[in-house]
């Protein structure tokens, strides 16, 4: 049976935590027959005695765990909790959830079911059919949440996912959570770390599923979310984009160097009065060698190919994909000239930018330097 640990950070939640624990253990966990459900409260020594309430409840529920520590922010609390869930409790999946009932415990079952049906990452989403934000939220709070999400989805190219900042999610440990460097997530002392965690989880997950949640209003204490949190969230979104684009930028630079080598060598061999075809073939192959080498040690250094036999095999494949580009370019070029007339330079540019470069980038990512998972 799969072991699922809810990691629940709490700070001054004494008014909520006791009831939350009872509702989970007596009602919601009872509905889940196919998983071994645990709750781990990560309390930052709340002055209001939240930890004491949990300790008392531990006498009643054996699957209730408590981690205490200094207050270092929400991200740090989650990192501590998730590590404990993985390393000490040996969880198969963890759930991120708030203690203040804004995350209704009835959705735990939905998250768990999606996981048991094969999802690696399950997002409790407020912005899909059936999900919602509180009707009582003021317009500016709605606007911040809505536009913040839209901004993040656009910048990170995630059209299919609708809630990037939700705090209610399930993550499979094997292959997803255990592949994330939790200590180095961005903005760990704030809420913004959630977006970094989200983006990495989505990228590692083979199957991501959204389930609708109605985000509740808060009964006790006031929200810890603020303007600074919003600014930090948008900063994380932009930094993530930059990090993801780095590969693409390097790929472009390597391609440009390849072009310069190709042109330079072509002129050189022609000057030496090499036969025409030999000049072209040799200079093209030099560019291919340069592209392969530089991409291997720089662009795709995280997936670097090593060992002589692997290098030879991949280099031959690389030549093959390069010939693929040659074929595409020749066929498309000839067709375009035939149908649209004599505008070779423009056509070449269009084909290279819209077809050959995306083709190369795709082949490099998915065949030559395939991600090691
Ligand atoms: N241990 C610990 N340490 N817990 C904390 C800390 C901290 O520094 N800060 C907040 N928490 C706990 C709270 O006690 C609560 O259980 C949960 O984390 C969320 O804090 P809230 O203050 O209730 O946050 P919110 O309701 O404003 O924010 C919600 O919306 C965000 C954006 O949509 C949450 O669902 C967030 O998870 C979500 O990112
Ligand atoms: Mn809350």
């Amino acid at each position: 049976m799969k072991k699922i640990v809810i990691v629940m950070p709490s700070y001054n939640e004494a008014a909520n935590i006791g009831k939350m624990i009872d509702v989970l253990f007596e009602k919601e966990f009872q509905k889940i027959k196919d998983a071994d459900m645990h709750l781990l409260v990560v309390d930052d020594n709340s002055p209001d005695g939240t930890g004491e309430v949990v300790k008392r409840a531990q006498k009643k529920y054996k699957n209730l765990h408590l981690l205490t520590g200094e207050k270092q922010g929400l991200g740090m609390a989650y990192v501590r909790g998730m590590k404990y869930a993985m390393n000490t409790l040996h969880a198969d999946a963890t759930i991120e959830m708030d203690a203040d009932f804004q995350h209704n415990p009835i959705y735990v079952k939905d998250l768990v079911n999606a996981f048991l049906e094969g999802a690696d990452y399950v997002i409790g989403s407020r912005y899909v059919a059936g999900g919602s934000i509180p009707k009582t939220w003021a317009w500016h709070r709605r606007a911040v949440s809505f536009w913040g999400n839209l901004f993040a989805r656009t910048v990170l190219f995630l059209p299919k996912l609708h809630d990037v900042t939700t705090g209610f999610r399930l993550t499979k440990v094997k292959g997803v959570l255990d592949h994330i460097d939790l200590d180095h997530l961005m903005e760990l002392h704030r809420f913004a770390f959630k977006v970094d965690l989200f983006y990495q989880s989505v990228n590692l997950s083979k199957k991501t599923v959204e389930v609708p949640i109605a985000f509740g209003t808060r009964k006790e204490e006031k929200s810890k979310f603020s303007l600074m949190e919003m600014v930090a969230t948008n900063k994380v979104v932009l930094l993530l984009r930059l990090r993801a684009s780095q590969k693409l930028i390097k790929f472009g630079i390597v391609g440009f160097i390849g072009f310069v080598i190709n042109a330079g060598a072509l002129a050189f061999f022609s000057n030496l009065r090499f036969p025409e075809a030999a000049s072209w073939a040799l200079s093209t192959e030099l560019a291919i060698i340069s592209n392969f080498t530089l991409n291997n040690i720089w662009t795709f250094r995280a997936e670097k190919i090593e060992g002589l036999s692997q290098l030879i095999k991949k280099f031959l494949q690389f030549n093959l994909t390069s010939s693929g580009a040659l074929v595409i370019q020749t066929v498309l070029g000839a067709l375009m000239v035939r149908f649209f007339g004599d505008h070779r330079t423009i056509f070449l540019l269009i084909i290279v930018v819209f077809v050959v470069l995306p083709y190369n980038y795709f082949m490099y990512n998915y065949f030559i330097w395939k991600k090691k998972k």
Side-chain angles (χ1 to χ4, degrees):
M1 196 147 55
K2 299 284 182 207
K3 185 172 190 177
I4 301 176
V5 178
I6 298 180
V7 179
M8 181 177 282
S10 66
Y11 194 72
N12 285 348
E13 302 284 2
N16 294 312
I17 198 74
K19 187 169 165 222
M20 175 58 81
I21 292 170
D22 285 340
V23 170
L24 282 173
F25 280 94
E26 312 230 324
K27 246 170 89 190
E28 298 309 325
F29 288 178
Q30 302 300 323
K31 298 182 196 162
I32 303 168
K33 297 278 171 253
D34 305 321
D36 180 20
M37 299 300 301
H38 289 248
L39 173 64
L40 168 64
V41 178
V42 187
D43 184 60
D44 287 347
N45 299 336
S46 300
D48 75 347
T50 306
E52 300 309 314
V53 179
V54 179
K55 270 183 206 150
R56 274 199 299 276
Q58 274 183 309
K59 298 198 178 90
K60 206 164 152 198
Y61 307 114
K62 75 170 198 332
N63 286 4
L64 174 61
H65 314 270
L66 173 67
L67 261 187
T68 55
E70 291 296 305
K71 183 165 162 61
Q72 295 167 288
L74 187 62
M76 294 300 287
Y78 264 119
V79 168
R80 263 192 293 137
M82 285 174 152
K83 282 186 178 168
Y84 188 84
M86 285 192 282
N87 304 334
T88 308
L89 301 176
H90 306 291
D92 293 297
T94 61
I95 292 178
E96 290 157 66
M97 183 176 173
D98 296 352
D100 60 357
F101 283 94
Q102 286 194 274
H103 292 156
N104 192 327
I106 59 167
Y107 299 118
V108 170
K109 184 168 83 355
D110 298 342
L111 296 177
V112 169
N113 282 342
F115 168 66
L116 294 177
E117 281 159 21
D120 299 318
Y121 195 45
V122 190
I123 300 162
S125 182
R126 298 163 295 179
Y127 297 106
V128 290
S132 63
I133 50 173
K135 305 233 170 357
T136 50
W137 270 13
W139 68 269
H140 62 270
R141 179 100 203 251
R142 287 165 183 267
V144 164
S145 180
F146 181 80
W147 288 106
N149 249 301
L150 200 62
F151 175 74
R153 287 171 59 204
T154 313
V155 173
L156 297 175
F157 299 142
L158 296 170
K160 288 195 193 126
L161 301 176
H162 300 83
D163 200 341
V164 175
T165 53
T166 179
F168 205 1
R169 327 180 271 210
L170 178 148
T171 317
K172 182 177 176 176
V173 170
K174 198 167 168 230
V176 185
L177 197 59
D178 64 0
H179 276 51
I180 296 177
D181 183 3
L182 294 171
D183 290 314
H184 295 99
L185 289 173
M186 290 182 233
E187 299 285 342
L188 270 180
H189 53 293
R190 296 187 180 285
F191 285 61
F193 81 96
K194 276 177 188 263
V195 181
D196 191 3
L197 190 57
F198 177 91
Y199 192 58
Q200 294 197 47
S201 304
V202 168
N203 283 334
L204 286 163
S205 157
K206 287 190 202 76
K207 187 176 171 199
T208 299
V209 169
E210 278 186 296
V211 300
I213 60 157
F215 192 57
T217 43
R218 196 180 161 102
K219 294 180 189 77
E220 317 283 342
E221 247 268 21
K222 72 180 225 307
S223 163
K224 297 166 187 82
F225 201 79
S226 68
L227 182 74
M228 279 304 290
E229 299 292 348
M230 191 190 89
V231 172
T233 302
N234 288 325
K235 189 179 109 188
V236 169
V237 168
L238 290 173
L239 284 173
L240 284 170
R241 170 77 274 147
L242 202 68
R243 197 155 77 186
S245 310
Q246 263 175 14
K247 224 181 214 176
L248 199 64
I249 293 167
K250 289 178 182 172
F251 164 83
I253 294 174
V254 169
F256 181 73
I257 294 173
F259 170 78
V260 171
I261 289 179
N262 200 333
L266 186 60
F268 179 75
F269 292 132
S270 300
N271 278 343
L272 289 182
R273 301 192 181 283
F274 271 49
E276 191 67 20
S279 304
W280 282 85
L282 276 173
S283 60
T284 307
E285 194 54 39
L286 281 177
I288 290 177
I289 293 171
S290 150
N291 285 353
F292 182 76
T293 312
L294 293 178
N295 277 324
N296 194 39
I297 59 177
W298 193 41
T299 319
F300 295 95
R301 94 174 138 207
E303 296 84 22
K304 193 163 163 189
I305 303 159
E306 278 157 326
L308 192 61
S309 66
Q310 262 317 86
L311 274 168
I312 292 174
K313 186 179 135 203
K314 289 288 183 178
F315 179 64
L316 291 177
Q317 285 181 3
F318 190 81
N319 273 274
L320 211 63
T321 62
S322 304
S323 341
L326 184 79
V327 172
I328 294 173
Q329 199 163 307
T330 309
V331 172
L332 277 182
L335 279 175
M336 284 172 94
V337 170
R338 163 122 194 224
F339 287 110
F340 306 110
D342 259 346
H343 310 286
R344 290 195 179 77
T345 317
I346 290 285
F347 294 161
L348 179 64
L349 203 69
I350 293 176
I351 297 170
V352 167
V353 171
F354 292 102
V355 185
V356 171
L357 289 180
Y359 161 86
N360 277 338
Y361 195 62
F362 178 84
M363 296 305 258
Y364 295 179
N365 271 291
Y366 292 95
F367 293 103
I368 310 291
W369 286 281
K370 210 156 81 190
K371 257 204 189 80
K372 298 169 191 156
K373 275 197 174 167

